[in-house]
Amino acid sequence: MFPSLARILVVLPLAAGLTHAHAQAPALASDNLATFKGAKKVVVDHFGVEFITTLKARGQGGGSSANIDAKLEGVSDAAMQALTDRAYQDTVTALTQAGFEVVPADELQAQPLYQSLMAKVAHDAPYVVDDTGAYSRIFAPAGMKAVFKSGADNRGTMGDRMDAFNSKYQGEFSDVAKGLGVYLVRFHYLASFGSTTSSKGFLSSFTGKARAAVETGPTLMAKSTLVQVISHEGARIFASSPRGGNANIWLENPLVVKADGFALEDTTTEESKRSDGVANALSVGLNLLTGGRGASQTSNKTMVVRLTEDNFNESYLRMIGQARDAFVEKLVAAR
């Protein structure tokens, strides 16, 4: 496998049955959109672009392990903030052009109950999310707070997930929306420079094979790229929506766009390679002495994707724009 393919694999040895995302048109799923019926006035009260800056591929099988940490470099915080601000303004424009009256967010932020609720669920931006699959930061438009949104993938801390799904908070947000005669519409994009695959489960354990892979390219991650609607319906229907809110639209499959410049560079240190080599040699020797069935093997790699900010802006805005247009179209059809 050649580096020019922008894909690096760690295989110990090859495991079957692993797939990854391919470029495709936005595929959306939704729930409870009937609660958006009749919506004319909306407020974009949450808007977040969550940038994954480290991908963590972790493969296991029969005692063997294959690990890759791939990092995004070359893109400053200022560039990520500017892109978030631009994506937000483009969203307001798209909603306005679609016939919605978009009420300024500061009218909502002046409400005491809303201020109290946001103090419980919101964070200063950028807000860090660091878990077993990725390291990311949520950026919000200037003047807004960052709010964590999770799909069905157990991302973030337990506290993050509890806040994201807390029906009591959502019911109180609904009271605010009803009082102002608006619908709260919340956009969250989980944006990455690639995706990972890894070996796991019964087959890998049975065969003793471990595999980890990173494939690069601008990607919006499924499930956690979503639009949440808070309507006037109150808390009574929240139990039917596992994502919180009265209604949700989410990206069902990863959205990948084609772009140049997304190439992986191997930055694994010689010390790390030697360490893996020694550990693997000891495992082979011990296996021979004890007559075991197979030696465990370990591989740890570090990689980097270096982007120019022009390349980053063009590809990420194009990707987010495709999802935004699909989301707005869905909202128009539901109102």
Side-chain angles (χ1 to χ4, degrees):
M1 188 68 65
F2 296 97
S4 60
L5 295 179
R7 189 182 185 209
I8 302 295
L9 306 182
V10 173
V11 183
L12 298 173
L14 183 64
L18 298 176
T19 60
H20 51 79
H22 294 281
Q24 58 185 333
L28 304 181
S30 62
D31 62 22
N32 300 332
L33 283 182
T35 65
F36 197 62
K37 186 71 173 177
K40 296 179 180 179
K41 296 175 65 175
V42 301
V43 176
V44 181
D45 75 313
H46 297 179
F47 189 95
V49 183
E50 183 176 353
F51 297 100
I52 292 177
T53 55
T54 300
L55 286 167
K56 306 172 186 178
R58 302 288 184 261
Q60 296 180 342
S64 294
S65 65
N67 303 308
I68 301 176
D69 281 4
K71 294 184 177 182
L72 173 66
E73 293 188 358
V75 183
S76 65
D77 282 5
M80 293 182 182
Q81 183 63 60
L83 188 145
T84 302
D85 291 338
R86 167 69 184 277
Y88 168 70
Q89 293 298 331
D90 288 348
T91 297
V92 171
T93 298
L95 288 168
T96 301
Q97 292 177 345
F100 293 102
E101 179 184 347
V102 183
V103 177
D106 54 6
E107 293 187 21
L108 184 67
Q109 293 167 354
Q111 302 298 312
L113 177 56
Y114 184 80
Q115 293 172 4
S116 173
L117 292 168
M118 288 297 284
K120 298 174 183 177
V121 302
H123 311 272
D124 291 334
Y127 177 67
V128 171
V129 180
D130 189 5
D131 55 36
T132 57
Y135 177 93
S136 60
R137 290 182 297 163
I138 305 172
F139 283 75
M144 287 190 181
K145 296 278 191 176
V147 179
F148 175 83
K149 294 294 177 187
S150 176
D153 46 12
N154 292 324
R155 296 178 52 253
T157 66
M158 180 62 72
D160 286 333
R161 297 199 296 273
M162 290 295 290
D163 284 347
F165 301 129
N166 192 302
S167 60
K168 177 182 177 182
Y169 296 159
Q170 304 299 357
E172 292 175 326
F173 275 119
S174 184
D175 290 340
V176 175
K178 187 175 182 178
L180 290 177
V182 300
Y183 288 73
L184 311 186
V185 184
R186 301 163 168 184
F187 290 79
H188 187 87
Y189 299 93
L190 181 55
S192 179
F193 59 94
S195 58
T196 65
T197 55
S198 58
S199 57
K200 56 185 177 180
F202 173 77
L203 179 61
S204 297
S205 297
F206 180 76
T207 59
K209 300 172 182 178
R211 179 179 185 262
V214 174
E215 183 165 352
T216 57
T219 304
L220 282 179
M221 310 304 285
K223 316 301 182 186
S224 293
T225 296
L226 57 86
V227 176
Q228 181 188 76
V229 173
I230 303 294
S231 71
H232 307 159
E233 295 297 325
R236 66 180 182 274
I237 71 162
F238 292 142
S240 64
S241 178
R243 289 166 177 80
N246 291 124
N248 298 274
I249 308 168
W250 62 92
L251 198 62
E252 183 68 8
N253 301 313
L255 171 63
V256 182
V257 299
K258 295 182 178 180
D260 296 327
F262 287 75
L264 276 171
E265 176 186 338
D266 192 340
T267 57
T268 310
T269 65
E270 290 302 319
E271 181 180 0
S272 178
K273 293 176 183 178
R274 285 194 298 269
S275 178
D276 285 349
V278 170
N280 293 336
L282 289 173
S283 179
V284 170
L286 181 61
N287 184 68
L288 291 173
L289 287 173
T290 60
R293 292 186 177 182
S296 63
Q297 297 287 285
T298 300
S299 178
N300 296 283
K301 285 185 175 291
T302 58
M303 317 297 257
V304 65
V305 172
R306 306 183 198 275
L307 293 181
T308 67
E309 292 190 348
D310 286 344
N311 183 294
F312 167 79
N313 286 329
E314 190 281 327
S315 58
Y316 275 57
L317 280 173
R318 177 160 46 92
M319 173 178 66
I320 290 172
Q322 288 183 19
R324 177 203 64 234
D325 289 346
F327 284 146
V328 171
E329 182 179 352
K330 195 80 169 178
L331 290 170
V332 169
R335 69 182 173 186

